[in-house]
DNA sequence: ACAAATGTAATAAAAATAATTACAGTTAAG
DNA sequence: CTTAACTGTAATTATTTTTATTACATTTGT
């Protein structure tokens, strides 16, 4: 899920950064992404709980960015999309505990998967939303 | 698909490194992973075409590693799992071409996604299969 | 000759994602 | 003070992706 979520959230937040003084509604955002508005509202709920945006209910409502795009690094957006999962997760299947490798693989793999996450965060911490949005 | 593929391939290749002088068959490998042998054989086909392993058909057949584990970095395994996709690529993602952001997002996103791939590769190029396998 | 493998295609089942429907609650504006 | 346009969610359905299964041709060791 991280896969699509990062793209969706970055798209949303880029829109919000470009129209930072307007309340953008979920139907408009969904139209830009070409996905269902309910899915957008679900992602907006996550962005809201992470403090990046605020929302206004009722007529002429919508959402807007709370932070300056210069102060948001892409790593922050990535971490929201990532949640508590690893980007490359291990299998749902339980490996064979009677196997020398099977019984230890998830522990050892987990370390590598964590390093992968951190490598991404480190890289994306060097690019701000401001820089990204100015490409449009 | 990259998500689970990396775990599967790394597990397989760790097994092969630990038993580098034996022909391991797909049923045995599948037993360690606790997945279907046909799926293992499909991954083995990819590993074979990438030159990391060789296979032997017929009775007492199986697969074995061709390269020394000291000369295989985890980045090589990652790149095989990755194939031509980005780690974080949205599957459908056909944004609205009539939107200022929609029509450009894939190009700009593509650059970021490529940087993510490279950050992972760079990180994993520092760890060899030998080091990984010695943890077992 | 037979058993145990790989290799691969086709199909079925299961799981994960996304879309849709529905509706309660909120707010702006006439 | 009523209506229209929103958010916020839950529940359900549809679609897509992933994994498992079945099947079988081919290869090879004994």
């Amino acid at each position: 899920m991280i896969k699509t979520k990062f793209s969706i959230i970055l798209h949303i937040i880029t829109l919000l950064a470009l129209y930072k003084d307007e309340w953008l509604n979920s139907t408009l955002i969904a139209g830009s992404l070409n996905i269902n508005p309910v899915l957008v509202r679900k992602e907006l709920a996550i962005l809201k709980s992470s403090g990046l945006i605020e929302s206004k209910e009722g007529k002429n409502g919508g959402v807007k960015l709370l932070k300056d795009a210069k102060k948001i690094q892409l790593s922050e957006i990535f971490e929201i999309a990532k949640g508590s999962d690893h980007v490359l997760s291990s299998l749902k299947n339980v490996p064979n505990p009677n196997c020398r490798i099977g019984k230890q693989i998830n522990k050892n793999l987990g370390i590598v998967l964590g390093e992968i996450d951190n490598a991404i965060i480190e890289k994306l911490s060097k690019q701000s939303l401001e820089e990204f949005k100015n490409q449009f």
Side-chain angles (χ1 to χ4, degrees), chain A residues 8-16 29 33 40 43-44 47:
Chain A
I8 291 172
I9 291 185
L10 181 55
H11 188 142
I12 291 174
I13 219 153
T14 301
L15 265 173
L16 297 181
I29 296 171
L33 276 149
V40 170
E43 301 303 342
L44 290 175
L47 288 171

Side-chain angles (χ1 to χ4, degrees), chain A residues 33-93:
Chain A
L33 276 149
N34 194 22
I35 63 175
N36 194 282
V38 178
L39 179 54
V40 170
R41 295 205 283 272
K42 280 178 186 160
E43 301 303 342
L44 290 175
I46 294 165
L47 288 171
K48 191 180 172 184
S49 73
S50 78
L52 271 186
I53 67 172
E54 64 181 325
S55 66
K56 190 173 77 163
E57 292 191 11
K59 196 173 179 179
N60 300 334
V63 294
K64 63 162 64 172
L65 257 192
L66 274 175
K67 276 177 79 171
D68 185 335
K70 291 189 188 72
K71 300 223 168 96
I72 300 172
Q73 302 305 113
L74 297 193
S75 53
E76 188 174 349
I77 296 165
F78 169 75
E79 289 194 80
I80 291 167
K82 178 176 122 45
S84 59
D85 297 330
H86 290 303
V87 166
L88 298 181
S89 66
S90 41
L91 293 172
K92 275 286 174 286
N93 294 47

